[in-house]
Amino acid sequence: MSSSHSDLSDTMDLESTKLLELPQGPTYDEITPSEFFRTLKVAPIVSEKSRIHRQDAQQRKRTIAGRRGKLTQLMAMPLDVFLMIASHLHPSDLLHLSRSSKMCASILLQGNRGVWNDAFKRIGLPPCPEDLRGPVYAALVFDRSCFACGVNRSLRRDIATRTRFCNECYEVNLGYGNECCPSPPGPREKLALSLLPVHFDSDDCDSDTKIPVDSHTMDYLYYLPEALAVLAYLQTVPEKALNTLDVNERRARVQQRITHAVEVEEWMEDVCNQQRHVNNNTRKTRKAKIMAELKALGYKDNDYPVSTEWRRLINQPKEVTTRVWQILRPKLENLIAEEKQRRVHARFMKHKNKRLKKIGKYYEAFIERDSFTAAERALMPNMHTAMRLPVIDALAVKDNARGPVPRGDFFQIRAAIRTEAAQYNLKFKQHLADHLRKKIGPQPRLRVSPSGSFVAVPDGLQDWSPDEVLAHPCALFTCRFCPGEREYGEGLPYPETHAHFRDAHPEEECQWDVRAGPWNKLPSTFFDVELVQIQAVKDILSCVGLSQDTPQADLDELIHSGRLYCGCGDPSMPHPEALSWYKLVVHVVQHRNWHEQQQGRMSQLAEYGIPGYREQRHLVYIDDHAVSDPSSGPFNLLPEDFDEDMDPSAPHPGFYRFAADAATRDVVKRRLAEASSRNYRFCRLCKSMTRYSKKWESARLPESVDEVVWHFRSKHGKEKVTQRDILF
């Protein structure tokens, strides 16, 4: 504990009082109320989280050997002269002087109240209360030491309760009335609260001074050790004597403490305003002098930068002396030189960007008119990336970025553009491959052994080339900036991924690395691989008995031939000729996401039900794309010789799409015709099973008749659809 804390031992003791437990103290039979409140002194509570417990014991007890300095003769002068000099000091300086030696402490801390009063009066501070010693009053207003644990940087001060705490001790010493009184409070508790000063809020001082002591309630903050001591004393007062207790003097003192706190806070606000005014004048004088010195050196007003560092050096509340100017001058001249370089670079970039716009038009014409196939054009960089290729950048800065760009100069670099575009494409593929490796993690790869059987090699995708990784069935990437805007959802294979990036984001840059800084919440890459998509891939391949690393090209061939298919019969799903692996996966993911969202939006009635509610089979959500085990699920793989054994007149199962019968189609078609073009169609069953806030959002039906009937059969198990099942 610091020596500053030991000086306050007359009002503060380190013996802690337990919260919510009434301490042992004098009783009503031993001491009168007036004498009790006149001698009331309580000890603050030292928080268990205080920084004092984290300090080394030797550090707390260390002493510094005194050195005899220039003020040694101050100790030998007459006492009256010493006190006269001390009375001219600021109270905070007087407090520091009292801690400098034992002799100063014995003179200033023991008696000599007039010295402290003169110091307070000299700066205009409201006088020290009669029941408070000068050193304690100075520490309360100006010091930074906690009254409980003694640590520095303790800013939680309260003049009314006469406390100063660190944040940790403040939490255990100041509390609301319900922390020391039962709720609702009885007569003793109400009387105790009226005898306690409330925590003073400097931002609302006027309203606090208008609160009479009889109106102190449980909603105010109190100094808990003092509150507990008062409650303990009042518990010993007989019931008959409670109403006739002489506490007027105590109430008057409490009101005086609150009024005095208001005066101190107003004084401190005035001091801050005066200091702010002085600082503003000093800043103006400092700025004017610095500008005059710079002007004398030949600088002009338009040479100065507009930066935080420049304002920090100019706008300081410190005078510019010769020594300060010697230190400040090189810093300011460096900032001016940096500003000149920045302006030169800005002019250069302006000319460069102007040339890049012209080069961009040449690049667009080059992509569209040159001998590019559609596949090659999809792999060319977008406009933002192309303008940063080294060969194009060199053309833009040619001749110091001055003058027009001849078309012939661009034609000469077309071959170099193709070469650098190919290098860029390799980097793009490597980026996607690295991201997929991190996403799916190490997993065993199946290889064919010499005997013809599959062997698991536990190397994962780490030794795969980028082309092999991008052929993996999980290599379906989602654009984070435009989800759900493409026809078949989000998951796209390569090279469709790059084609989307090039066409949808021509002015964006694909991030190769994670951006540093916790403040930046933007994604580290444009593309991601959804976990629900990875799970869908694993479920499909497990159900049909294929290897988990079957290339996408082989899967596309199986789908186009109709051998690999989803048997759900969704009418909106394309036929095998127009279907592909990534479209099949996205189809499964969309249906699974819909079911998961509906389960989350399910109303309490549908979740817990009423008698007979759950027994109705059509009032359920069916996950028709769930896979509980490899033998379940709607996914199938036909054998290679299936066409040879199949009846030519029988429909191919891979081409099956649900179609409603004529009667049901007629019913649904008449019902849909009743809606106007502006009305949406809603499923009555989804609406009845969804909580109110999400009813219309999650119950919307498709527009196709076959899709509407298929929704009721596949999602609710309802075979017969009536007109009342469709709402508008």
Side-chain angles (χ1 to χ4, degrees):
M1 185 181 304
S2 63
S3 60
S4 62
H5 176 67
S6 62
D7 302 336
L8 310 176
S9 58
D10 64 319
T11 57
M12 306 295 175
D13 190 10
L14 288 183
E15 296 178 0
S16 61
T17 304
K18 291 186 178 180
L19 193 63
L20 298 179
E21 292 185 6
L22 298 182
Q24 297 293 332
T27 63
Y28 178 73
D29 298 331
E30 300 172 352
I31 188 173
T32 63
S34 299
E35 188 177 355
F36 169 77
F37 287 112
R38 193 162 45 246
T39 60
L40 177 61
K41 295 179 182 179
V42 292
I45 305 171
V46 180
S47 173
E48 296 179 355
K49 300 179 181 179
S50 172
R51 286 174 286 156
I52 196 67
H53 301 302
R54 299 193 292 269
Q55 294 180 3
D56 184 68
Q58 297 298 329
Q59 181 181 359
R60 296 199 299 266
K61 296 180 180 180
R62 66 181 181 180
T63 59
I64 301 176
R67 293 182 298 176
R68 301 179 64 83
K70 295 181 179 180
L71 297 181
T72 306
Q73 298 300 323
L74 192 67
M75 315 290 288
M77 69 174 55
L79 181 59
D80 54 344
V81 177
F82 174 80
L83 295 177
M84 182 182 298
I85 296 175
S87 63
H88 286 74
L89 297 177
H90 191 277
S92 61
D93 297 331
L94 196 59
L95 190 63
H96 295 156
L97 179 62
S98 66
R99 299 167 180 167
S100 61
S101 67
K102 293 182 179 179
M103 191 196 80
C104 292
S106 63
I107 296 175
L108 297 175
L109 298 182
Q110 305 296 332
N112 294 314
R113 187 180 184 89
V115 177
W116 293 96
N117 290 339
D118 291 343
F120 298 144
K121 184 177 180 180
R122 196 173 301 278
I123 63 173
L125 181 67
C128 177
E130 293 295 332
D131 58 340
L132 197 63
R133 293 178 57 228
V136 180
Y137 185 42
L140 179 63
V141 178
F142 301 106
D143 203 14
R144 293 294 184 269
S145 298
C146 177
F147 282 9
C149 63
V151 299
N152 294 325
R153 301 189 301 276
S154 302
L155 305 178
R156 308 297 291 270
R157 179 199 66 228
D158 182 54
I159 304 298
T161 58
R162 298 175 179 175
T163 56
R164 177 183 287 274
F165 296 117
C166 59
N167 292 333
E168 293 77 10
C169 293
Y170 175 87
E171 296 296 333
V172 298
N173 282 279
L174 273 295
Y176 291 98
N178 57 7
E179 298 185 37
C180 57
C181 300
S183 183
R188 299 179 189 273
E189 288 75 16
K190 291 182 179 179
L191 178 60
L193 294 180
S194 68
L195 302 177
L196 295 171
V198 297
H199 174 65
F200 177 75
D201 188 359
S202 60
D203 296 331
D204 195 18
C205 59
D206 293 336
S207 62
D208 281 342
T209 55
K210 295 177 182 178
I211 300 176
V213 290
D214 293 336
S215 301
H216 291 179
T217 63
M218 309 273 279
D219 299 329
Y220 291 100
L221 282 171
Y222 300 92
Y223 180 37
L224 291 179
E226 185 179 18
L228 294 173
V230 173
L231 280 171
Y233 178 77
L234 293 181
Q235 291 294 333
T236 64
V237 179
E239 192 73 28
K240 296 181 180 180
L242 195 63
N243 295 330
T244 60
L245 204 63
D246 184 15
V247 292
N248 293 330
E249 181 182 355
R250 171 63 179 182
R251 287 180 176 175
R253 287 190 177 184
V254 169
Q255 192 62 52
Q256 290 175 2
R257 287 169 65 171
I258 297 178
T259 304
H260 180 261
V262 173
E263 295 175 354
V264 174
E265 293 293 343
E266 290 177 348
W267 174 83
M268 297 196 70
E269 184 177 359
D270 293 340
V271 171
C272 291
N273 292 335
Q274 294 174 8
Q275 186 62 40
R276 190 179 300 111
H277 180 70
V278 171
N279 290 342
N280 290 337
N281 291 337
T282 305
R283 288 189 181 96
K284 293 179 181 179
T285 305
R286 175 189 178 93
K287 183 176 181 180
K289 188 171 182 179
I290 291 177
M291 294 297 106
E293 293 287 349
L294 291 174
K295 188 174 182 180
L297 294 175
Y299 294 106
K300 300 179 181 179
D301 293 341
N302 57 358
D303 293 336
Y304 306 142
V306 182
S307 63
T308 303
E309 181 65 16
W310 177 269
R311 290 193 296 268
R312 187 186 69 82
L313 295 175
I314 297 294
N315 300 322
Q316 290 186 13
K318 299 178 182 178
E319 296 182 359
V320 181
T321 61
T322 304
R323 179 176 176 276
V324 171
W325 174 246
Q326 292 176 352
I327 300 174
L328 197 61
R329 175 180 172 178
K331 296 180 179 179
L332 297 177
E333 290 182 335
N334 289 338
L335 292 177
I336 294 174
E338 292 176 1
E339 176 64 14
K340 289 183 178 180
Q341 295 178 1
R342 188 195 66 79
R343 293 177 182 178
V344 171
H345 180 71
R347 288 192 294 269
F348 172 80
M349 292 302 299
K350 181 180 178 180
H351 296 298
K352 178 183 176 181
N353 292 333
K354 185 177 180 180
R355 289 168 63 93
L356 284 175
K357 288 183 179 180
K358 188 65 176 178
I359 296 175
K361 295 179 181 180
Y362 295 158
Y363 179 76
E364 290 179 351
F366 167 63
I367 296 297
E368 297 297 331
R369 301 175 185 176
D370 212 57
S371 56
F372 282 100
T373 64
E376 291 175 340
R377 189 177 295 111
L379 297 180
M380 291 298 290
N382 65 353
M383 183 61 66
H384 177 89
T385 308
M387 294 302 100
R388 283 154 181 78
L389 293 177
V391 62
I392 292 183
D393 185 76
L395 179 60
V397 302
K398 186 179 180 181
D399 298 329
N400 201 21
R402 297 302 180 101
V405 182
R407 185 184 295 271
D409 292 352
F410 181 82
F411 285 168
Q412 295 177 2
I413 64 172
R414 288 182 299 176
I417 292 177
R418 286 176 175 267
T419 302
E420 293 184 357
Q423 297 174 357
Y424 152 81
N425 199 258
L426 291 176
K427 187 177 182 181
F428 190 90
K429 291 195 296 184
Q430 185 66 48
H431 166 66
L432 294 181
D434 291 342
H435 187 71
L436 183 62
R437 291 189 185 102
K438 295 177 182 178
K439 198 71 177 182
I440 65 178
Q443 60 181 7
R445 181 184 180 187
L446 297 179
R447 298 178 184 264
V448 180
S449 65
S451 61
S453 60
F454 286 103
V455 178
V457 181
D459 57 2
L461 304 179
Q462 303 304 318
D463 63 336
W464 290 27
S465 66
D467 291 330
E468 289 180 316
V469 174
L470 295 180
H472 192 276
C474 292
L476 303 176
F477 301 93
T478 299
C479 179
R480 284 175 163 172
F481 289 87
C482 49
E485 294 186 7
R486 291 184 63 90
E487 182 178 0
Y488 294 106
E490 306 169 4
L492 295 174
Y494 180 84
E496 284 83 352
T497 304
H498 186 275
H500 167 79
F501 170 67
R502 181 181 182 276
D503 298 336
H505 307 284
E507 299 299 331
E508 299 292 342
E509 178 183 2
C510 187
Q511 298 296 322
W512 310 108
D513 302 315
V514 177
R515 303 179 189 181
W519 54 271
N520 198 332
K521 300 301 181 183
L522 294 176
S524 60
T525 178
F526 258 75
F527 302 101
D528 193 14
V529 181
E530 302 291 342
L531 295 178
V532 63
Q533 189 171 270
I534 296 176
Q535 186 61 44
V537 170
K538 293 181 178 179
D539 291 343
I540 295 173
L541 297 179
S542 298
C543 282
V544 300
L546 291 176
S547 171
Q548 293 292 331
D549 61 349
T550 304
Q552 291 189 30
D554 296 346
L555 296 173
D556 287 339
E557 183 179 351
L558 293 175
I559 292 173
H560 293 159
S561 64
R563 292 180 55 199
L564 177 59
Y565 65 93
C566 177
C568 66
D570 185 359
S572 64
M573 185 168 55
H575 283 271
E577 296 85 354
L579 196 61
S580 62
W581 169 247
Y582 87 86
K583 294 179 182 179
L584 177 63
V585 173
V586 172
H587 161 80
V588 176
V589 171
Q590 286 178 340
H591 284 279
R592 288 186 173 184
N593 288 342
W594 181 89
H595 184 268
E596 184 178 354
Q597 290 176 0
Q598 295 301 95
Q599 291 291 332
R601 295 167 176 171
M602 185 178 292
S603 64
Q604 186 176 4
L605 178 65
E607 185 176 356
Y608 299 103
I610 58 176
Y613 189 89
R614 267 304 204 186
E615 285 71 10
Q616 302 182 52
R617 183 171 178 270
H618 60 276
L619 290 179
V620 294
Y621 286 131
I622 300 175
D623 189 0
D624 56 336
H625 288 77
V627 178
S628 57
D629 56 79
S631 61
S632 65
F635 316 112
N636 295 282
L637 177 63
L638 300 178
E640 294 183 6
D641 56 351
F642 176 78
D643 293 337
E644 301 176 0
D645 301 335
M646 186 181 67
D647 185 1
S649 61
H652 195 290
F655 289 76
Y656 167 72
R657 299 295 182 269
F658 174 80
D661 58 87
T664 305
R665 177 185 294 273
D666 185 59
V667 172
V668 175
K669 194 172 184 179
R670 288 201 307 270
R671 179 58 174 167
L672 295 180
E674 297 177 6
S676 65
S677 59
R678 297 183 179 180
N679 289 348
Y680 291 109
R681 291 88 170 166
F682 298 96
C683 173
R684 180 181 63 85
L685 306 181
C686 290
K687 174 180 174 295
S688 63
M689 297 176 65
T690 308
R691 62 178 183 266
Y692 183 79
S693 61
K694 299 290 184 180
K695 284 185 182 300
W696 303 112
E697 178 183 348
S698 61
R700 189 175 300 175
L701 287 171
E703 297 183 2
S704 170
V705 175
D706 291 335
E707 293 181 36
V708 171
V709 179
W710 181 82
H711 168 83
F712 283 97
R713 291 194 177 187
S714 63
K715 303 303 181 184
H716 301 293
K718 186 174 175 62
E719 297 294 335
K720 184 178 180 181
V721 183
T722 61
Q723 291 191 1
R724 64 186 296 267
D725 291 331
I726 302 175
L727 305 177
F728 302 123

